[in-house]
Amino acid sequence: MATRLVQINMKARNDAALGGFWAKALGWGISSEGPGVTNLEPEGIVYPDPVAVCVDLVVSTEPKVGKNRVHVDLATTSAAHQAELVARLTELGATPADIGQGDVPFTVLADPEGNEFCVLEPRPIYRDTGPIAAVVVDCADPREMARFWGEATDWTVHEVTDQHASLRSAAGVGPYLEFVRNPDPKTGWNRVHLDVRPYPGDDMAAEVARLETLGATRIDLSGAHIHWTVMADPEGNEFCVLTPS
């Protein structure tokens, strides 16, 4: 058994407006499965498809506090493309963000609700990822995160060092999942989190139990009427186990 990273979940004060920004930023289609939820995915794919990690925006009144521990890096194909993308995103409502990055070749921006993201300079490793080069998670121990997420999912571990780890789908397509060492402690719930999904026919309860043996913990949301399970990885980052599909 295994899960797949199928989407990221982003809290939003206005899911429709923020979803509109990201749909234009990524060139993806936009839909809604219900009030307070906006769904983004590439046009024409049959979800879930490893070619993309989709985006769900869910309305929330919780304020954003501090830098997000999970963000996306956007891919570019040339210096001109990077400059054009930064200009276009700025016109859509993005603003420059200072997270202490210093003099770097990539550009750090914040979306209209303050969620940080990076527009990368051209890098050969991301030439075929689609618009999202990587989903990046701050962590204390990249090696432990690679161990857990490599066993929790069927994604392939590509690199592991004391400072950085990266994984990619078993099919070798779509964006990377990366863990970057960051000394800042986690405080509160992550405003952006990962959603994983077992394969069709797998037993969801058995998969949740397997994840617990790997070091995940179940988060008790007593009274919440949901059909997924909320868990936390060994560093306390929340993630959702969705129903098999």
Side-chain angles (χ1 to χ4, degrees), residues 85-86 89-90 94-97 107-111 114-119:
L85 182 55
V86 169
L89 293 169
T90 301
T95 54
T107 301
V108 183
L109 298 174
D111 71 18
N115 299 296
E116 304 85 3
F117 65 98
C118 299
V119 181

Side-chain angles (χ1 to χ4, degrees), residues 9 18 23 30 48 67 77 89 100 107 140 164 170 177 195 211-212 226:
N9 183 297
L18 193 59
I30 185 168
K67 174 181 174 290
T77 57
L89 293 169
T107 301
H164 176 266
L177 174 62
D195 285 348
L211 293 170
E212 288 181 303
I226 56 177

Side-chain angles (χ1 to χ4, degrees), residues 133-231:
V135 178
V136 184
V137 183
D138 290 349
C139 68
D141 187 348
R143 291 186 182 276
E144 171 61 6
M145 290 295 95
R147 192 280 308 169
F148 172 79
W149 285 98
E151 295 179 7
T153 70
D154 65 359
W155 281 37
T156 302
V157 177
H158 283 258
E159 176 189 2
V160 181
T161 72
D162 290 341
Q163 301 300 320
H164 176 266
S166 66
L167 299 82
R168 201 180 192 192
S169 74
V173 297
Y176 288 79
L177 174 62
E178 300 185 351
F179 297 93
V180 177
R181 182 179 292 277
N182 187 307
D184 296 338
K186 180 181 184 293
T187 57
W189 282 64
N190 287 344
R191 194 163 185 83
V192 182
H193 70 255
L194 310 180
D195 285 348
V196 300
R197 190 181 290 274
Y199 280 90
D202 283 353
D203 183 280
M204 184 174 174
E207 183 59 29
V208 167
R210 186 184 74 87
L211 293 170
E212 288 181 303
T213 68
L214 297 176
T217 54
R218 201 179 311 212
I219 296 176
D220 184 9
L221 295 178
S222 299
H225 300 290
I226 56 177
H227 53 268
W228 57 89
T229 301
V230 183
M231 307 191 78

